[in-house]
Every structure is written in structure tokens, then in C-alpha cells.
Amino acid sequence: MNNDFVQTLITTGKLAFWTTLILFILGLPIAYFLAYSRFRLKSVVEALISMPMVLPPTVLGFYILVAYSPQNWFGQMMEQWFDVRLAFSFSGVLIASIICSLPFMVQPLQNGLAALPSSLKEASYTMGKSSLTTFFRVLLPNIRGSVIIAVAMTSAHCVGEFGIVLMVGGNMPGATRVASIALYDEVQALNYKAANQYALVLFLVSFVVLTIIYSINKKTV
């Protein structure tokens, strides 16, 4: 294994790790809100969250890249306040990855919470437990399968992402070059041995994730 191959896998793993961790923290309250709240525009909010699942990644990546531009308020604010340029940087790719992978975290958690009987919450409240305690001590342990599926799907999607990373981060070795982009580069260069290495890693990740998901579904049936 050469240094470029190892560095690319490290960048890919780092992006998947931070994306999954941040989305797990953000996804729990969002999923709870969507599972138990009833309001007129709920369908609109759910549609917006789910958009990355149906929208071409290049379209989403384009609008994110435009938002990162110093000519727009977000990019201008980041540059003036924090001296940070998000375009073609790991931080910029991370934010884009979080946006793109949001539904893969939120939807399994939301479905898991919505499927729980209301008697669980009611019994906890009757015993004097707070909403926070009820969530972490009663509801969350009962959706372990959904949590594992959400984490696995988010990680796998992030590892295999191509369009968003290429649009927002480009192809900078050691910074924004991930396995999916490296695979494309090696095929273009007719370096099939290196391409096979990247393809094998992506294949194994996908296989492991699907095995985990099907194993959990089998246990819950």
C-alpha cells in the first residue's frame, strides 16, 4: 500500500466518522420532534430533510458551493468572522456531507420512535421521570436496532459519496480526496490495480453495512 492510498482511506474514514457523529447528535432531537409533533407544515419539513435522497448530488453540491462563495452572506460571514474559506476544504466537505446524509440518520430514528407504543412514555411520566430522562432511559434503549441501522446507513452513504465531495471539495490529496473519487481517477488513468483496491474497500464496506441491517431486521421480525 502506498502513502496516497492510505491517506485517501484515512480522509474517507475521518469524513465518515465526523459526519456520523455530528448527525447522530443532531438527528436524535430532529427525529424525536418529527416522530411526536403534529403541525401543519410537518410534511414540508420531512420533504426538505429527505431531499438529498432524490436530488442529484451535483445539484445539491452546486448550491452548497454557491453558499460557500464570499459573494454570498454565508461564505462572507465565515470568512470575515472566522477567517475560514469552506470551498475546497475538508471543513466545507464535512458540512456538505452532513447536509447530504441527514435523511439517512433521521428517517430510521424517526421510524423507530414512531413505532414505539405510547404507553412507554406515559408509564415513565407517571413515575415522575422528565422528558429527557424518558428519552435516554426508556425510548432510546428500545430503538437500538434503529440506531444501529441509522449509524450504519449514514456511514456507508458517506463513504460512498462522490458528487457532493467532488463539487464542494474537488480532488485534493490529503485534504478532500476520498476513496470514491480516487477510484474514478485511477480508472481514468487506466490504473486498474489501484482502482481495484479502492473498489474492494468500498464493496466490503457496503457488504458489511447491508449484513448488519439485514441481521437487525431479521431479529426484529
Short mmCIF file of all heavy atoms in Angstrom, two decimals, residues 130-175:
data_model
loop_
_atom_site.label_atom_id
_atom_site.label_comp_id
_atom_site.label_asym_id
_atom_site.label_seq_id
_atom_site.Cartn_x
_atom_site.Cartn_y
_atom_site.Cartn_z
N SER A 130 -38.56 12.88 33.90
CA SER A 130 -38.62 14.03 32.99
C SER A 130 -38.60 13.56 31.55
O SER A 130 -38.33 12.38 31.26
CB SER A 130 -37.43 14.95 33.24
OG SER A 130 -36.21 14.30 32.90
N SER A 131 -38.86 14.48 30.64
CA SER A 131 -38.85 14.15 29.21
C SER A 131 -37.46 13.69 28.77
O SER A 131 -37.33 12.74 27.99
CB SER A 131 -39.28 15.37 28.38
OG SER A 131 -40.59 15.76 28.70
N LEU A 132 -36.42 14.36 29.30
CA LEU A 132 -35.05 14.00 28.93
C LEU A 132 -34.69 12.61 29.43
O LEU A 132 -34.12 11.79 28.70
CB LEU A 132 -34.08 15.04 29.50
CG LEU A 132 -32.68 15.09 28.89
CD1 LEU A 132 -32.74 15.41 27.40
CD2 LEU A 132 -31.81 16.10 29.62
N THR A 133 -35.04 12.32 30.68
CA THR A 133 -34.76 11.00 31.25
C THR A 133 -35.55 9.92 30.52
O THR A 133 -35.03 8.84 30.25
CB THR A 133 -35.12 10.98 32.75
OG1 THR A 133 -34.36 11.98 33.43
CG2 THR A 133 -34.85 9.62 33.35
N THR A 134 -36.78 10.23 30.19
CA THR A 134 -37.62 9.28 29.46
C THR A 134 -37.02 8.94 28.11
O THR A 134 -37.00 7.78 27.69
CB THR A 134 -39.04 9.86 29.26
OG1 THR A 134 -39.63 10.08 30.53
CG2 THR A 134 -39.90 8.90 28.46
N PHE A 135 -36.49 9.97 27.45
CA PHE A 135 -35.92 9.73 26.13
C PHE A 135 -34.68 8.85 26.21
O PHE A 135 -34.56 7.86 25.47
CB PHE A 135 -35.56 11.06 25.47
CG PHE A 135 -34.91 10.91 24.13
CD1 PHE A 135 -35.66 10.55 23.03
CD2 PHE A 135 -33.55 11.12 23.97
CE1 PHE A 135 -35.06 10.39 21.78
CE2 PHE A 135 -32.95 10.97 22.73
CZ PHE A 135 -33.71 10.61 21.63
N PHE A 136 -33.75 9.17 27.11
CA PHE A 136 -32.48 8.45 27.16
C PHE A 136 -32.56 7.12 27.91
O PHE A 136 -31.80 6.20 27.60
CB PHE A 136 -31.40 9.34 27.79
CG PHE A 136 -30.88 10.40 26.87
CD1 PHE A 136 -31.25 11.73 27.03
CD2 PHE A 136 -30.04 10.08 25.82
CE1 PHE A 136 -30.78 12.72 26.18
CE2 PHE A 136 -29.56 11.06 24.95
CZ PHE A 136 -29.93 12.38 25.14
N ARG A 137 -33.46 7.01 28.87
CA ARG A 137 -33.52 5.79 29.69
C ARG A 137 -34.63 4.83 29.26
O ARG A 137 -34.58 3.65 29.62
CB ARG A 137 -33.73 6.18 31.16
CG ARG A 137 -32.63 7.05 31.75
CD ARG A 137 -31.31 6.30 31.86
NE ARG A 137 -31.39 5.21 32.80
CZ ARG A 137 -31.18 5.33 34.11
NH1 ARG A 137 -30.90 6.52 34.62
NH2 ARG A 137 -31.25 4.28 34.89
N VAL A 138 -35.61 5.34 28.53
CA VAL A 138 -36.74 4.48 28.15
C VAL A 138 -36.85 4.32 26.63
O VAL A 138 -36.86 3.19 26.12
CB VAL A 138 -38.07 5.05 28.71
CG1 VAL A 138 -39.25 4.17 28.28
CG2 VAL A 138 -38.02 5.15 30.22
N LEU A 139 -36.94 5.43 25.91
CA LEU A 139 -37.19 5.36 24.47
C LEU A 139 -35.96 4.89 23.69
O LEU A 139 -36.05 3.98 22.85
CB LEU A 139 -37.65 6.73 23.94
CG LEU A 139 -38.92 7.30 24.57
CD1 LEU A 139 -39.26 8.64 23.93
CD2 LEU A 139 -40.08 6.32 24.44
N LEU A 140 -34.82 5.52 23.94
CA LEU A 140 -33.62 5.21 23.17
C LEU A 140 -33.19 3.74 23.28
O LEU A 140 -32.86 3.12 22.26
CB LEU A 140 -32.48 6.15 23.59
CG LEU A 140 -31.30 6.29 22.61
CD1 LEU A 140 -31.78 6.73 21.23
CD2 LEU A 140 -30.28 7.28 23.15
N PRO A 141 -33.19 3.15 24.49
CA PRO A 141 -32.82 1.73 24.58
C PRO A 141 -33.75 0.81 23.79
O PRO A 141 -33.37 -0.29 23.40
CB PRO A 141 -32.89 1.44 26.08
CG PRO A 141 -32.70 2.76 26.73
CD PRO A 141 -33.37 3.74 25.83
N ASN A 142 -34.99 1.26 23.57
CA ASN A 142 -35.96 0.43 22.86
C ASN A 142 -35.90 0.58 21.35
O ASN A 142 -36.67 -0.07 20.62
CB ASN A 142 -37.37 0.74 23.35
CG ASN A 142 -37.69 0.06 24.67
OD1 ASN A 142 -37.99 -1.13 24.72
ND2 ASN A 142 -37.61 0.83 25.75
N ILE A 143 -35.02 1.44 20.86
CA ILE A 143 -34.85 1.56 19.40
C ILE A 143 -33.38 1.32 19.03
O ILE A 143 -32.84 1.93 18.11
CB ILE A 143 -35.32 2.94 18.88
CG1 ILE A 143 -34.52 4.09 19.53
CG2 ILE A 143 -36.81 3.13 19.09
CD1 ILE A 143 -34.68 5.42 18.79
N ARG A 144 -32.76 0.41 19.75
CA ARG A 144 -31.35 0.10 19.48
C ARG A 144 -31.13 -0.32 18.02
O ARG A 144 -30.16 0.05 17.39
CB ARG A 144 -30.85 -1.00 20.41
CG ARG A 144 -30.62 -0.55 21.84
CD ARG A 144 -29.90 -1.63 22.63
NE ARG A 144 -30.69 -2.86 22.70
CZ ARG A 144 -31.57 -3.12 23.66
NH1 ARG A 144 -31.77 -2.25 24.64
NH2 ARG A 144 -32.24 -4.25 23.66
N GLY A 145 -32.07 -1.13 17.51
CA GLY A 145 -31.95 -1.56 16.12
C GLY A 145 -31.99 -0.40 15.16
O GLY A 145 -31.20 -0.34 14.20
N SER A 146 -32.88 0.53 15.39
CA SER A 146 -32.99 1.70 14.52
C SER A 146 -31.74 2.57 14.61
O SER A 146 -31.30 3.14 13.60
CB SER A 146 -34.22 2.54 14.91
OG SER A 146 -35.41 1.80 14.72
N VAL A 147 -31.17 2.66 15.80
CA VAL A 147 -29.94 3.45 15.98
C VAL A 147 -28.80 2.84 15.17
O VAL A 147 -28.06 3.55 14.47
CB VAL A 147 -29.57 3.54 17.47
CG1 VAL A 147 -28.18 4.14 17.63
CG2 VAL A 147 -30.59 4.37 18.23
N ILE A 148 -28.66 1.51 15.27
CA ILE A 148 -27.58 0.84 14.55
C ILE A 148 -27.76 0.99 13.04
O ILE A 148 -26.80 1.25 12.30
CB ILE A 148 -27.51 -0.65 14.94
CG1 ILE A 148 -27.13 -0.79 16.42
CG2 ILE A 148 -26.51 -1.40 14.07
CD1 ILE A 148 -27.20 -2.20 16.95
N ILE A 149 -28.99 0.84 12.58
CA ILE A 149 -29.28 1.00 11.14
C ILE A 149 -28.97 2.43 10.69
O ILE A 149 -28.38 2.65 9.63
CB ILE A 149 -30.74 0.63 10.84
CG1 ILE A 149 -30.95 -0.87 11.00
CG2 ILE A 149 -31.13 1.08 9.43
CD1 ILE A 149 -32.39 -1.32 10.87
N ALA A 150 -29.38 3.42 11.48
CA ALA A 150 -29.14 4.82 11.13
C ALA A 150 -27.65 5.11 11.05
O ALA A 150 -27.18 5.76 10.09
CB ALA A 150 -29.80 5.73 12.16
N VAL A 151 -26.90 4.64 12.02
CA VAL A 151 -25.45 4.87 12.02
C VAL A 151 -24.79 4.16 10.84
O VAL A 151 -23.92 4.71 10.17
CB VAL A 151 -24.84 4.40 13.37
CG1 VAL A 151 -23.32 4.38 13.29
CG2 VAL A 151 -25.30 5.30 14.50
N ALA A 152 -25.20 2.92 10.60
CA ALA A 152 -24.60 2.14 9.51
C ALA A 152 -24.91 2.76 8.15
O ALA A 152 -24.02 2.90 7.30
CB ALA A 152 -25.13 0.70 9.55
N MET A 153 -26.17 3.16 7.93
CA MET A 153 -26.55 3.74 6.64
C MET A 153 -25.86 5.09 6.41
O MET A 153 -25.40 5.38 5.30
CB MET A 153 -28.07 3.92 6.58
CG MET A 153 -28.83 2.62 6.43
SD MET A 153 -30.62 2.88 6.32
CE MET A 153 -30.73 3.86 4.81
N THR A 154 -25.76 5.88 7.47
CA THR A 154 -25.10 7.19 7.34
C THR A 154 -23.62 7.02 7.02
O THR A 154 -23.09 7.70 6.12
CB THR A 154 -25.26 8.00 8.64
OG1 THR A 154 -26.65 8.15 8.94
CG2 THR A 154 -24.63 9.37 8.51
N SER A 155 -22.96 6.12 7.72
CA SER A 155 -21.54 5.89 7.49
C SER A 155 -21.29 5.38 6.08
O SER A 155 -20.38 5.84 5.38
CB SER A 155 -20.99 4.90 8.51
OG SER A 155 -21.17 5.37 9.83
N ALA A 156 -22.10 4.39 5.66
CA ALA A 156 -21.91 3.80 4.33
C ALA A 156 -22.18 4.81 3.23
O ALA A 156 -21.45 4.88 2.24
CB ALA A 156 -22.84 2.59 4.16
N HIS A 157 -23.22 5.61 3.41
CA HIS A 157 -23.52 6.63 2.40
C HIS A 157 -22.39 7.65 2.29
O HIS A 157 -22.02 8.07 1.20
CB HIS A 157 -24.83 7.34 2.76
CG HIS A 157 -25.18 8.46 1.83
ND1 HIS A 157 -24.90 9.79 2.13
CD2 HIS A 157 -25.74 8.47 0.59
CE1 HIS A 157 -25.30 10.54 1.13
NE2 HIS A 157 -25.81 9.78 0.19
N CYS A 158 -21.84 8.02 3.42
CA CYS A 158 -20.76 9.00 3.44
C CYS A 158 -19.50 8.43 2.77
O CYS A 158 -18.82 9.11 2.01
CB CYS A 158 -20.46 9.41 4.87
SG CYS A 158 -19.25 10.73 5.01
N VAL A 159 -19.20 7.16 3.06
CA VAL A 159 -18.02 6.53 2.47
C VAL A 159 -18.13 6.46 0.95
O VAL A 159 -17.14 6.65 0.23
CB VAL A 159 -17.83 5.10 3.06
CG1 VAL A 159 -16.81 4.31 2.25
CG2 VAL A 159 -17.38 5.19 4.51
N GLY A 160 -19.34 6.22 0.44
CA GLY A 160 -19.52 6.07 -0.99
C GLY A 160 -19.88 7.34 -1.73
O GLY A 160 -20.04 7.32 -2.95
N GLU A 161 -19.99 8.46 -1.02
CA GLU A 161 -20.40 9.71 -1.67
C GLU A 161 -19.35 10.18 -2.67
O GLU A 161 -18.16 10.15 -2.41
CB GLU A 161 -20.63 10.79 -0.60
CG GLU A 161 -21.13 12.11 -1.17
CD GLU A 161 -22.36 11.94 -2.02
OE1 GLU A 161 -23.36 11.37 -1.53
OE2 GLU A 161 -22.33 12.36 -3.20
N PHE A 162 -19.85 10.64 -3.82
CA PHE A 162 -18.95 11.08 -4.89
C PHE A 162 -19.26 12.51 -5.34
O PHE A 162 -18.40 13.39 -5.30
CB PHE A 162 -19.06 10.12 -6.09
CG PHE A 162 -18.22 10.51 -7.27
CD1 PHE A 162 -16.88 10.14 -7.32
CD2 PHE A 162 -18.74 11.25 -8.32
CE1 PHE A 162 -16.09 10.48 -8.41
CE2 PHE A 162 -17.96 11.60 -9.41
CZ PHE A 162 -16.63 11.22 -9.46
N GLY A 163 -20.50 12.74 -5.76
CA GLY A 163 -20.86 14.02 -6.37
C GLY A 163 -20.68 15.21 -5.46
O GLY A 163 -20.10 16.23 -5.86
N ILE A 164 -21.16 15.10 -4.22
CA ILE A 164 -21.06 16.22 -3.28
C ILE A 164 -19.60 16.56 -3.01
O ILE A 164 -19.20 17.73 -3.01
CB ILE A 164 -21.78 15.87 -1.96
CG1 ILE A 164 -23.29 16.00 -2.12
CG2 ILE A 164 -21.30 16.77 -0.83
CD1 ILE A 164 -23.81 17.41 -2.12
N VAL A 165 -18.80 15.54 -2.74
CA VAL A 165 -17.39 15.77 -2.40
C VAL A 165 -16.66 16.40 -3.58
O VAL A 165 -15.87 17.33 -3.41
CB VAL A 165 -16.71 14.45 -1.99
CG1 VAL A 165 -15.23 14.68 -1.72
CG2 VAL A 165 -17.38 13.86 -0.77
N LEU A 166 -16.93 15.91 -4.79
CA LEU A 166 -16.25 16.43 -5.97
C LEU A 166 -16.65 17.88 -6.24
O LEU A 166 -15.79 18.72 -6.57
CB LEU A 166 -16.59 15.58 -7.19
CG LEU A 166 -15.82 15.89 -8.47
CD1 LEU A 166 -14.32 15.68 -8.26
CD2 LEU A 166 -16.32 15.03 -9.62
N MET A 167 -17.93 18.21 -6.07
CA MET A 167 -18.41 19.57 -6.33
C MET A 167 -17.88 20.56 -5.30
O MET A 167 -17.46 21.66 -5.64
CB MET A 167 -19.93 19.59 -6.33
CG MET A 167 -20.57 18.92 -7.53
SD MET A 167 -20.35 19.85 -9.07
CE MET A 167 -21.38 21.28 -8.76
N VAL A 168 -17.91 20.17 -4.04
CA VAL A 168 -17.59 21.09 -2.95
C VAL A 168 -16.10 21.07 -2.59
O VAL A 168 -15.53 22.10 -2.27
CB VAL A 168 -18.44 20.77 -1.70
CG1 VAL A 168 -18.05 21.66 -0.53
CG2 VAL A 168 -19.91 20.92 -2.02
N GLY A 169 -15.50 19.89 -2.64
CA GLY A 169 -14.12 19.76 -2.19
C GLY A 169 -13.09 19.56 -3.26
O GLY A 169 -11.89 19.66 -3.00
N GLY A 170 -13.56 19.24 -4.47
CA GLY A 170 -12.59 18.97 -5.52
C GLY A 170 -11.89 17.64 -5.30
O GLY A 170 -12.48 16.68 -4.81
N ASN A 171 -10.63 17.59 -5.62
CA ASN A 171 -9.86 16.34 -5.52
C ASN A 171 -8.46 16.66 -5.03
O ASN A 171 -7.48 16.56 -5.76
CB ASN A 171 -9.82 15.66 -6.89
CG ASN A 171 -9.17 14.30 -6.85
OD1 ASN A 171 -8.87 13.76 -5.79
ND2 ASN A 171 -8.91 13.73 -8.02
N MET A 172 -8.38 17.06 -3.76
CA MET A 172 -7.11 17.49 -3.19
C MET A 172 -6.54 16.39 -2.29
O MET A 172 -7.10 16.09 -1.23
CB MET A 172 -7.31 18.78 -2.38
CG MET A 172 -7.89 19.92 -3.21
SD MET A 172 -8.44 21.32 -2.20
CE MET A 172 -6.88 21.80 -1.43
N PRO A 173 -5.46 15.74 -2.71
CA PRO A 173 -4.86 14.65 -1.91
C PRO A 173 -4.54 15.09 -0.49
O PRO A 173 -3.97 16.16 -0.27
CB PRO A 173 -3.58 14.31 -2.69
CG PRO A 173 -3.87 14.74 -4.09
CD PRO A 173 -4.72 15.97 -3.97
N GLY A 174 -4.93 14.28 0.46
CA GLY A 174 -4.66 14.57 1.86
C GLY A 174 -5.63 15.54 2.50
O GLY A 174 -5.55 15.80 3.69
N ALA A 175 -6.54 16.09 1.70
CA ALA A 175 -7.50 17.07 2.24
C ALA A 175 -8.93 16.69 1.92
O ALA A 175 -9.76 16.51 2.81
CB ALA A 175 -7.18 18.46 1.71
#
